[in-house]
Amino acid sequence: MRDLYETFPLSSSRLSMAPTVSDYVEDVVLAADTLLRVPLPAGAQFVLFSLDNDFRAKLGTVASSFSLPSAVSTDGSGSELNPAARRIPATLGDGSTTPTHLLLRAPAACKGSLSFYA
């Protein structure tokens, strides 16, 4: 898997404005209001999202789940709407659980891709 941040001289100036083309891309097809769990590839540290409609994302495990919001949350348990790029941390918010899956859900059917980087 390619690194998101390249070494000098590719990390300088305008070349650092866009990552190289990923060599690990997952195509995703989301059915309306259906949870999709995408396993994180070994070594992945970053993910770039590109979907053709609104979607929500959350990092978790094979047992994690979330629903589309129907009310305001006040405990930090919400999901992100249309993230563009995210770093994959070593642990989830509890500080000890290792993330294994990216969870996706959309209110309407959509398609897209997830580009992973080391």
Side-chain angles (χ1 to χ4, degrees):
M1 184 177 310
R2 291 187 172 146
D3 289 335
L4 181 65
Y5 296 108
E6 297 177 295
T7 57
F8 184 82
L10 298 174
S11 61
S12 66
S13 174
R14 285 185 237 166
L15 294 175
S16 65
M17 299 298 285
T20 187
V21 174
S22 178
D23 62 353
Y24 196 107
V25 178
E26 296 286 8
D27 291 322
V28 293
V29 178
L30 301 178
D33 199 12
T34 302
L35 182 68
L36 176 66
R37 291 180 186 92
V38 178
L40 296 173
Q45 296 182 50
F46 300 90
V47 59
L48 279 61
F49 302 82
S50 181
L51 281 84
D52 63 4
N53 207 345
D54 286 340
F55 70 99
R56 299 191 77 89
K58 189 169 186 166
L59 200 56
T61 66
V62 70
S64 300
S65 185
F66 75 90
S67 299
L68 293 175
S70 59
V72 174
S73 69
T74 58
D75 62 359
S77 64
S79 56
E80 288 191 82
L81 176 64
N82 299 331
R86 292 293 178 263
R87 183 179 58 81
I88 300 168
T91 61
L92 297 177
D94 64 8
S96 62
T97 305
T98 301
T100 60
H101 287 73
L102 188 58
L103 287 66
L104 303 171
R105 185 170 239 153
C110 64
K111 297 176 184 176
S113 62
L114 305 172
S115 300
F116 291 95
Y117 292 88

Short mmCIF file of all heavy atoms in Angstrom, two decimals, residues 10-44:
data_model
loop_
_atom_site.label_atom_id
_atom_site.label_comp_id
_atom_site.label_asym_id
_atom_site.label_seq_id
_atom_site.Cartn_x
_atom_site.Cartn_y
_atom_site.Cartn_z
N LEU A 10 9.13 14.87 -3.39
CA LEU A 10 7.71 14.80 -3.72
C LEU A 10 6.83 15.42 -2.63
O LEU A 10 5.67 15.72 -2.87
CB LEU A 10 7.29 13.35 -3.97
CG LEU A 10 7.98 12.68 -5.15
CD1 LEU A 10 7.61 11.21 -5.22
CD2 LEU A 10 7.65 13.39 -6.45
N SER A 11 7.37 15.62 -1.43
CA SER A 11 6.59 16.19 -0.34
C SER A 11 6.71 17.71 -0.28
O SER A 11 6.18 18.34 0.61
CB SER A 11 7.06 15.59 0.99
OG SER A 11 8.43 15.91 1.20
N SER A 12 7.40 18.29 -1.23
CA SER A 12 7.59 19.74 -1.20
C SER A 12 6.66 20.44 -2.17
O SER A 12 6.16 19.86 -3.13
CB SER A 12 9.04 20.07 -1.57
OG SER A 12 9.29 19.71 -2.90
N SER A 13 6.42 21.71 -1.87
CA SER A 13 5.74 22.58 -2.79
C SER A 13 4.37 22.05 -3.23
O SER A 13 3.63 21.49 -2.45
CB SER A 13 6.66 22.82 -4.00
OG SER A 13 6.07 23.54 -5.01
N ARG A 14 4.06 22.22 -4.50
CA ARG A 14 2.75 21.82 -5.01
C ARG A 14 2.54 20.32 -5.06
O ARG A 14 1.42 19.85 -5.04
CB ARG A 14 2.53 22.40 -6.40
CG ARG A 14 2.23 23.86 -6.37
CD ARG A 14 1.90 24.34 -7.73
NE ARG A 14 2.85 25.41 -8.04
CZ ARG A 14 3.05 25.91 -9.22
NH1 ARG A 14 2.40 25.44 -10.25
NH2 ARG A 14 3.90 26.87 -9.40
N LEU A 15 3.61 19.54 -5.12
CA LEU A 15 3.47 18.09 -5.19
C LEU A 15 2.82 17.52 -3.94
O LEU A 15 2.18 16.47 -3.98
CB LEU A 15 4.84 17.44 -5.42
CG LEU A 15 5.50 17.74 -6.76
CD1 LEU A 15 6.88 17.13 -6.80
CD2 LEU A 15 4.65 17.24 -7.90
N SER A 16 2.95 18.21 -2.81
CA SER A 16 2.36 17.71 -1.57
C SER A 16 0.88 18.04 -1.45
O SER A 16 0.22 17.62 -0.52
CB SER A 16 3.12 18.27 -0.37
OG SER A 16 2.95 19.67 -0.30
N MET A 17 0.35 18.79 -2.41
CA MET A 17 -1.06 19.18 -2.35
C MET A 17 -2.02 18.04 -2.66
O MET A 17 -3.19 18.09 -2.30
CB MET A 17 -1.32 20.34 -3.32
CG MET A 17 -0.52 21.58 -2.99
SD MET A 17 -0.91 22.27 -1.38
CE MET A 17 -2.46 23.02 -1.73
N ALA A 18 -1.56 17.01 -3.33
CA ALA A 18 -2.42 15.89 -3.67
C ALA A 18 -1.63 14.59 -3.54
O ALA A 18 -0.49 14.50 -4.01
CB ALA A 18 -2.95 16.03 -5.09
N PRO A 19 -2.23 13.59 -2.92
CA PRO A 19 -1.53 12.31 -2.80
C PRO A 19 -1.45 11.60 -4.15
O PRO A 19 -2.22 11.89 -5.07
CB PRO A 19 -2.39 11.51 -1.82
CG PRO A 19 -3.75 12.12 -1.92
CD PRO A 19 -3.53 13.57 -2.29
N THR A 20 -0.53 10.67 -4.24
CA THR A 20 -0.41 9.85 -5.44
C THR A 20 -1.66 8.97 -5.57
O THR A 20 -2.40 8.79 -4.60
CB THR A 20 0.87 9.00 -5.38
OG1 THR A 20 1.03 8.34 -6.62
CG2 THR A 20 0.83 8.00 -4.27
N VAL A 21 -1.89 8.40 -6.72
CA VAL A 21 -3.02 7.51 -6.93
C VAL A 21 -2.86 6.28 -6.03
O VAL A 21 -1.79 5.69 -5.97
CB VAL A 21 -3.12 7.09 -8.42
CG1 VAL A 21 -4.19 6.05 -8.62
CG2 VAL A 21 -3.38 8.30 -9.30
N SER A 22 -3.92 5.92 -5.33
CA SER A 22 -3.86 4.79 -4.42
C SER A 22 -3.75 3.47 -5.17
O SER A 22 -4.34 3.31 -6.24
CB SER A 22 -5.11 4.76 -3.55
OG SER A 22 -5.10 3.64 -2.69
N ASP A 23 -3.01 2.53 -4.58
CA ASP A 23 -2.95 1.20 -5.17
C ASP A 23 -3.83 0.22 -4.40
O ASP A 23 -3.78 -0.98 -4.63
CB ASP A 23 -1.50 0.69 -5.25
CG ASP A 23 -0.83 0.57 -3.89
OD1 ASP A 23 -1.43 0.99 -2.88
OD2 ASP A 23 0.30 0.06 -3.84
N TYR A 24 -4.66 0.74 -3.46
CA TYR A 24 -5.60 -0.10 -2.72
C TYR A 24 -6.92 0.66 -2.62
O TYR A 24 -7.09 1.54 -1.78
CB TYR A 24 -5.08 -0.43 -1.32
CG TYR A 24 -5.82 -1.58 -0.68
CD1 TYR A 24 -5.22 -2.82 -0.55
CD2 TYR A 24 -7.14 -1.43 -0.24
CE1 TYR A 24 -5.91 -3.89 0.01
CE2 TYR A 24 -7.83 -2.49 0.31
CZ TYR A 24 -7.21 -3.71 0.44
OH TYR A 24 -7.90 -4.76 0.99
N VAL A 25 -7.86 0.33 -3.51
CA VAL A 25 -9.15 1.01 -3.58
C VAL A 25 -10.26 -0.02 -3.47
O VAL A 25 -10.23 -1.06 -4.13
CB VAL A 25 -9.31 1.78 -4.92
CG1 VAL A 25 -10.67 2.45 -5.01
CG2 VAL A 25 -8.18 2.80 -5.08
N GLU A 26 -11.23 0.25 -2.61
CA GLU A 26 -12.42 -0.59 -2.47
C GLU A 26 -13.61 0.12 -3.10
O GLU A 26 -13.87 1.30 -2.78
CB GLU A 26 -12.74 -0.88 -1.00
CG GLU A 26 -11.69 -1.67 -0.26
CD GLU A 26 -11.66 -3.14 -0.64
OE1 GLU A 26 -12.35 -3.56 -1.58
OE2 GLU A 26 -10.92 -3.89 0.02
N ASP A 27 -14.30 -0.53 -4.01
CA ASP A 27 -15.57 -0.02 -4.52
C ASP A 27 -16.65 -0.32 -3.51
O ASP A 27 -16.66 -1.40 -2.91
CB ASP A 27 -15.93 -0.68 -5.86
CG ASP A 27 -15.00 -0.26 -6.98
OD1 ASP A 27 -14.60 0.92 -7.02
OD2 ASP A 27 -14.66 -1.12 -7.81
N VAL A 28 -17.55 0.63 -3.29
CA VAL A 28 -18.65 0.41 -2.35
C VAL A 28 -19.98 0.73 -3.03
O VAL A 28 -20.08 1.66 -3.83
CB VAL A 28 -18.50 1.24 -1.06
CG1 VAL A 28 -17.31 0.76 -0.25
CG2 VAL A 28 -18.38 2.71 -1.33
N VAL A 29 -20.98 -0.07 -2.70
CA VAL A 29 -22.33 0.14 -3.17
C VAL A 29 -23.21 0.08 -1.92
O VAL A 29 -23.28 -0.96 -1.26
CB VAL A 29 -22.76 -0.94 -4.19
CG1 VAL A 29 -24.21 -0.72 -4.61
CG2 VAL A 29 -21.84 -0.93 -5.40
N LEU A 30 -23.85 1.20 -1.60
CA LEU A 30 -24.68 1.27 -0.41
C LEU A 30 -26.15 1.23 -0.79
O LEU A 30 -26.60 2.02 -1.64
CB LEU A 30 -24.41 2.56 0.37
CG LEU A 30 -22.99 2.79 0.85
CD1 LEU A 30 -22.88 4.14 1.54
CD2 LEU A 30 -22.56 1.69 1.78
N ALA A 31 -26.89 0.32 -0.20
CA ALA A 31 -28.35 0.30 -0.34
C ALA A 31 -28.90 1.32 0.66
O ALA A 31 -28.27 1.61 1.68
CB ALA A 31 -28.89 -1.09 -0.05
N ALA A 32 -30.07 1.85 0.39
CA ALA A 32 -30.67 2.85 1.27
C ALA A 32 -30.81 2.33 2.70
O ALA A 32 -31.32 1.24 2.93
CB ALA A 32 -32.03 3.27 0.73
N ASP A 33 -30.32 3.11 3.64
CA ASP A 33 -30.41 2.85 5.08
C ASP A 33 -30.01 1.43 5.47
O ASP A 33 -30.64 0.78 6.29
CB ASP A 33 -31.82 3.17 5.60
CG ASP A 33 -31.83 3.36 7.11
OD1 ASP A 33 -30.75 3.46 7.72
OD2 ASP A 33 -32.93 3.37 7.69
N THR A 34 -28.94 0.94 4.85
CA THR A 34 -28.40 -0.38 5.16
C THR A 34 -26.93 -0.24 5.55
O THR A 34 -26.14 0.34 4.80
CB THR A 34 -28.53 -1.32 3.95
OG1 THR A 34 -29.91 -1.40 3.58
CG2 THR A 34 -28.01 -2.70 4.26
N LEU A 35 -26.57 -0.75 6.70
CA LEU A 35 -25.20 -0.64 7.20
C LEU A 35 -24.26 -1.53 6.38
O LEU A 35 -24.55 -2.69 6.11
CB LEU A 35 -25.15 -1.06 8.67
CG LEU A 35 -23.79 -0.94 9.34
CD1 LEU A 35 -23.38 0.52 9.48
CD2 LEU A 35 -23.83 -1.60 10.71
N LEU A 36 -23.13 -0.97 5.98
CA LEU A 36 -22.07 -1.72 5.31
C LEU A 36 -20.81 -1.61 6.16
O LEU A 36 -20.39 -0.50 6.50
CB LEU A 36 -21.80 -1.17 3.91
CG LEU A 36 -20.66 -1.82 3.14
CD1 LEU A 36 -20.97 -3.28 2.82
CD2 LEU A 36 -20.34 -1.05 1.88
N ARG A 37 -20.24 -2.76 6.51
CA ARG A 37 -18.97 -2.81 7.26
C ARG A 37 -17.86 -3.18 6.28
O ARG A 37 -17.87 -4.27 5.73
CB ARG A 37 -19.05 -3.83 8.38
CG ARG A 37 -19.98 -3.46 9.51
CD ARG A 37 -19.98 -4.56 10.59
NE ARG A 37 -20.95 -4.31 11.61
CZ ARG A 37 -22.21 -4.78 11.60
NH1 ARG A 37 -22.63 -5.52 10.58
NH2 ARG A 37 -23.03 -4.49 12.58
N VAL A 38 -16.91 -2.28 6.10
CA VAL A 38 -15.78 -2.51 5.20
C VAL A 38 -14.55 -2.80 6.06
O VAL A 38 -14.13 -1.95 6.85
CB VAL A 38 -15.52 -1.27 4.31
CG1 VAL A 38 -14.32 -1.50 3.40
CG2 VAL A 38 -16.76 -0.91 3.51
N PRO A 39 -13.96 -4.00 5.92
CA PRO A 39 -12.76 -4.32 6.70
C PRO A 39 -11.62 -3.36 6.33
O PRO A 39 -11.41 -3.05 5.16
CB PRO A 39 -12.41 -5.75 6.29
CG PRO A 39 -13.65 -6.29 5.67
CD PRO A 39 -14.39 -5.13 5.09
N LEU A 40 -10.88 -2.93 7.34
CA LEU A 40 -9.72 -2.08 7.10
C LEU A 40 -8.57 -2.94 6.62
O LEU A 40 -8.25 -3.96 7.24
CB LEU A 40 -9.32 -1.35 8.38
CG LEU A 40 -10.33 -0.37 8.95
CD1 LEU A 40 -9.87 0.15 10.30
CD2 LEU A 40 -10.58 0.77 7.98
N PRO A 41 -7.92 -2.56 5.52
CA PRO A 41 -6.78 -3.35 5.05
C PRO A 41 -5.59 -3.21 6.01
O PRO A 41 -5.42 -2.17 6.65
CB PRO A 41 -6.46 -2.76 3.68
CG PRO A 41 -7.15 -1.46 3.63
CD PRO A 41 -8.25 -1.47 4.63
N ALA A 42 -4.79 -4.24 6.11
CA ALA A 42 -3.60 -4.22 6.96
C ALA A 42 -2.70 -3.06 6.55
O ALA A 42 -2.46 -2.84 5.37
CB ALA A 42 -2.85 -5.54 6.85
N GLY A 43 -2.23 -2.31 7.51
CA GLY A 43 -1.32 -1.21 7.25
C GLY A 43 -1.98 0.11 6.89
O GLY A 43 -1.30 1.12 6.73
N ALA A 44 -3.30 0.13 6.74
CA ALA A 44 -3.98 1.36 6.35
C ALA A 44 -3.93 2.39 7.49
O ALA A 44 -4.23 2.07 8.63
CB ALA A 44 -5.43 1.08 5.98
#
